[in-house]
Amino acid sequence: MAVVVWITEGTWRACVDAARRHTPSDTPVVLLHVSGADVPGAAHGAFAGLLGRGHPRGHRPAEGWGSDPGTRVEELADAAARQLLDAAADRLGRPCSRVERTGRIEREVVAAADGADLLVLARDGDRSGLGPRSLAPATRFAVDHAPCPVLLVWPEPAPGTATLPPPPEPGRPQPPHPPHADPHPPHADPPHPPHPGPG
Amino acid sequence: MNTSLAEALSAGLLLLVLVCAVVRPFGWPEAVVAVPAAGVAIGTGAISLAHAREEAAQLGPVIGFLAAVLVLAQMCDDEGLFQACGAWMARSAAGRPRRLLVQVFVLASVITAVLSLDATVVLLTPVVFATAARLGARPKPHVYACTHLSNTASLLLPVSNLTNLLAFAASGLGFTRFAALMALPWLVAIGVEYAVFRRFFAGDLDAGADAPPDAAAPRMPLFALVTVGCTLAGFVLASAVGLDPAWAAFAGALVLAVRALARRRTTPVAVLRSASVPFLAFVLALGIVVRAVVDNGLADALGRLVPGGSGLGALLGVAVLAAVLANVINNLPAVLVLLPLTAPSGAGAVLAVLLGVNIGPNLTYAGSLATLLWRRIVREHRAEVGLGEFTRLGLLTVPASLVLSVVALWGSLQIVGG
């Protein structure tokens, strides 16, 4: 049995605590952090838009004029991910393994959860009330597509049931469930190569 | 050479220069292809030597101005200005991603306006990422804000963007008048971006930031700050007495460079490198090639598309045309093509071009469709980038900020006068 705990900025503590509370202490735990390729990508793109500023790189560090700031952001993202995973491992206080992935966040999470016995993740949308909006699009995607059981936690005490929307009036049909926002609708999604599975 | 052959040749050269600038074959600087291309245009007579010389004489002061601003920004970085900004943000935004977003908006807008968009893209963006990571906040809204503001916030001053320097030289406006006319469009465009960002990234901002706060007080590099302040005052003063404001930029860069050299914090080679000589050569060569294309027939073809006059409708038309062109080719060639066509209509039309080429690039991820397409083909980076979200954000911000800032420009023209 293996538990994958998805570590994200802002909400990871609740996931680590839930993993500790709800799984036996000898369960192998995988701490997973996924960096979106789009953040360094935006920096790469902004630099590419500065027509004419490219220098030959040589062996100079990725800082200063003529260097793509996206490269520096990639390095910083790696360091930040490692720090976050270290902090999570400290809080867990048990032997665990750490996995860093980069790419489309929601797809990487689903791929990493393949073959796991439990995926622990946190609500990270609008958490002022109960309901589908409390899941941000990437988390919604992971919940909808996870190939394993899921433990979905509130990062803070859940809002009361008073935040439920009013029930439908008798005799009127139930309003349709609000459609969730797919972070990558089909038309914007170029063909994606199949992800290599484990092993 | 007859005109149609010359037009075909110069258009081909422009295409070659742009493709090589996007692809950067063998990692060459863009000037490696652009300078010989300009030589071919002159050598074959596609552009007369007199016209090439005239273009060079026009671009020369602009390029000098640009070099001074680039050195100024790099020297500010060497003095630790950007690190200090990061430390200040981390300290006062602890635990509050929305507060951090406000600070990023303010800082990126000011730095873009004063030290040019290059400084925001190259120097500030990594600092902002590091700051978000330090706070334990999600970096995406803040990094995206930097990339968007490097374009949108580059409307205010002639030094904010190379496109502005080119338009400034062509418009005949003084430094102060330019800033006075662009202040309102600048504020409107940034305001629209902020409103959209707050909604678009509500989830990421709600996630919170939980790293323990920084205790150390940041050390502000006072000397660099004072020098930049004096340089800004120098722009206004020089403009008032009829002196080229480039001298103020030159003086500011000189003060910081001499200090850094005297303290052995930098070397003459490093100072020269921060002036980006290959980039300056690229701008000059691109200007000559574009001039050849414009002279040989593009002026007539596009002249019919460019609305004349300075009414609100005409300004909107010019701005939209400029935004489209900036997205298809890039803002630099777009502004070189459109300036000679709009300058006769007056300063209002020239500034409308700037609104288009400076706000427009946020529509496509990399600032131009050509760059975007090539990057997808070349795929030089470690992961494929999801373009959907960035493009949706562009679709939400660009049309609104473009239209509203044109209205603001029109209002400024009524108040300040073109």
Side-chain angles (χ1 to χ4, degrees):
Chain A
M1 159 140 180
V3 176
V4 174
V5 184
W6 181 15
I7 301 297
T8 56
E9 292 85 352
T11 55
W12 59 274
R13 288 193 165 92
C15 296
V16 171
D17 294 350
R20 210 172 38 194
R21 195 173 316 126
H22 296 290
T23 61
S25 59
D26 57 347
T27 312
V29 173
V30 176
L31 300 175
L32 167 73
H33 183 272
V34 186
S35 305
D38 44 0
V39 174
H44 285 307
F47 186 68
L50 297 179
L51 207 61
R53 269 74 149 187
H55 286 191
R57 273 288 299 282
H59 297 290
R60 274 184 286 139
E63 279 183 80
W65 295 129
S67 293
D68 189 337
T71 312
R72 178 89 186 108
V73 170
E74 277 175 7
E75 294 167 6
L76 289 166
D78 287 342
R82 273 197 304 278
Q83 272 182 12
L84 201 57
L85 287 177
D86 288 348
D90 276 355
R91 189 175 180 94
L92 184 67
R94 294 189 205 164
C96 58
S97 54
R98 296 160 212 196
V99 173
E100 290 175 49
R101 283 175 172 249
T102 303
R104 290 179 181 232
I105 292 178
E106 65 282 354
R107 288 180 183 273
E108 294 296 330
V109 170
V110 170
D114 195 16
D117 296 298
L118 185 67
L119 170 66
V120 184
L121 73 178
R123 293 178 185 268
D124 60 350
D126 172 13
R127 304 197 299 271
S128 57
L130 298 172
R133 288 185 188 286
S134 61
L135 289 180
T139 312
R140 161 71 61 190
F141 185 95
V143 168
D144 283 350
H145 298 82
C148 65
V150 166
L151 174 57
L152 181 60
V153 301
W154 284 88
E156 63 278 303
T161 47
T163 61
L164 274 176
E169 289 166 29
R172 284 184 54 187
Q174 179 91 21
H177 198 66
H180 70 260
D182 187 341
H184 298 288
H187 65 270
D189 208 9
H192 206 71
H195 206 283
Chain B
M1 198 187 304
N2 68 41
T3 315
S4 57
L5 188 62
E7 177 68 2
L9 175 70
S10 41
L13 285 173
L14 178 59
L15 195 68
L16 179 74
V17 169
L18 293 178
V19 167
C20 289
V22 168
V23 180
R24 289 179 195 160
F26 313 111
W28 289 342
E30 294 82 344
V32 170
V33 174
V35 172
V40 170
I42 297 170
T44 56
I47 180 171
S48 71
L49 196 58
H51 273 195
R53 202 175 285 151
E54 187 188 304
E55 187 68 24
Q58 255 175 24
L59 287 177
V62 170
I63 289 171
F65 206 160
L66 179 68
V69 175
L70 291 178
V71 172
L72 191 66
Q74 179 64 53
M75 292 295 127
C76 284
D77 187 39
D78 290 352
E79 290 271 331
L81 181 66
F82 292 84
Q83 291 306 323
C85 288
W88 170 72
M89 286 191 291
R91 193 172 143 92
S92 60
R96 287 165 296 180
R98 284 200 163 76
R99 175 105 191 237
L100 178 63
L101 189 67
V102 173
Q103 291 173 341
V104 169
F105 261 76
V106 170
L107 260 180
S109 299
V110 171
I111 284 175
T112 304
V114 178
L115 293 175
S116 88
L117 85 166
D118 290 65
T120 298
V121 169
V122 177
L123 303 174
L124 184 65
T125 304
V127 168
V128 163
F129 183 96
T131 306
R134 223 158 121 186
L135 291 176
R138 301 199 173 167
K140 189 187 279 183
H142 314 291
V143 171
Y144 277 25
C146 277
T147 63
H148 265 235
L149 289 169
S150 68
N151 289 313
T152 305
S154 74
L155 293 171
L156 183 63
L157 302 179
V159 289
S160 310
N161 195 330
L162 172 58
T163 56
N164 298 18
L165 282 170
L166 294 165
F168 178 56
S171 69
L173 291 167
F175 192 96
T176 319
R177 197 171 193 76
F178 184 104
L181 285 170
M182 289 304 246
L184 200 56
W186 182 70
L187 288 173
V188 166
I190 294 168
V192 170
E193 292 271 357
Y194 181 70
V196 173
F197 265 67
R198 277 290 292 255
R199 272 195 72 86
F200 193 84
F201 288 112
D204 285 321
L205 297 170
D206 277 335
D210 54 7
D214 268 299
R219 191 193 62 85
M220 274 293 162
L222 264 185
F223 190 86
L225 276 175
V226 169
T227 309
V228 170
C230 289
T231 308
L232 272 181
F235 289 149
V236 176
L237 201 68
S239 186
V241 299
L243 205 67
D244 193 327
W247 290 110
F250 183 69
L254 194 68
V255 167
L256 286 183
V258 166
R259 178 175 139 105
L261 284 170
R263 302 190 157 204
R264 302 196 183 281
R265 284 213 204 119
T266 190
T267 59
V269 176
V271 174
L272 194 68
R273 193 182 290 144
S274 60
S276 289
V277 179
F279 172 43
L280 306 178
F282 171 79
V283 174
L284 185 63
L286 182 66
I288 288 171
V289 173
V290 168
R291 176 72 186 264
V293 180
V294 171
D295 279 358
N296 286 312
L298 189 70
D300 298 337
L302 266 181
R304 281 190 289 275
L305 272 179
V306 176
S310 57
L312 181 57
L315 294 182
L316 267 174
V318 168
V320 170
L321 179 69
V324 170
L325 209 55
N327 276 291
V328 175
I329 46 178
N330 182 279
N331 57 1
L332 193 49
V335 85
L336 287 169
V337 166
L338 287 175
L339 279 182
L341 307 177
T342 48
S345 303
V350 170
L351 296 181
V353 169
L354 278 188
L355 296 184
V357 297
N358 289 357
I359 297 174
N362 283 338
L363 199 55
T364 51
Y365 144 80
S368 83
L369 206 55
T371 318
L372 173 86
L373 294 173
W374 273 105
R375 290 188 82 80
R376 287 188 72 94
I377 294 165
V378 177
R379 291 231 184 111
E380 56 183 286
H381 297 295
R382 61 178 177 179
E384 189 189 341
V385 175
L387 296 173
E389 192 165 40
F390 202 91
T391 309
R392 251 181 303 147
L393 188 59
L395 285 171
L396 286 173
T397 53
V398 169
S401 35
L402 191 59
V403 169
L404 291 177
S405 61
V406 171
V407 172
L409 172 66
W410 180 78
S412 298
L413 285 166
Q414 308 306 309
I415 299 164
V416 181

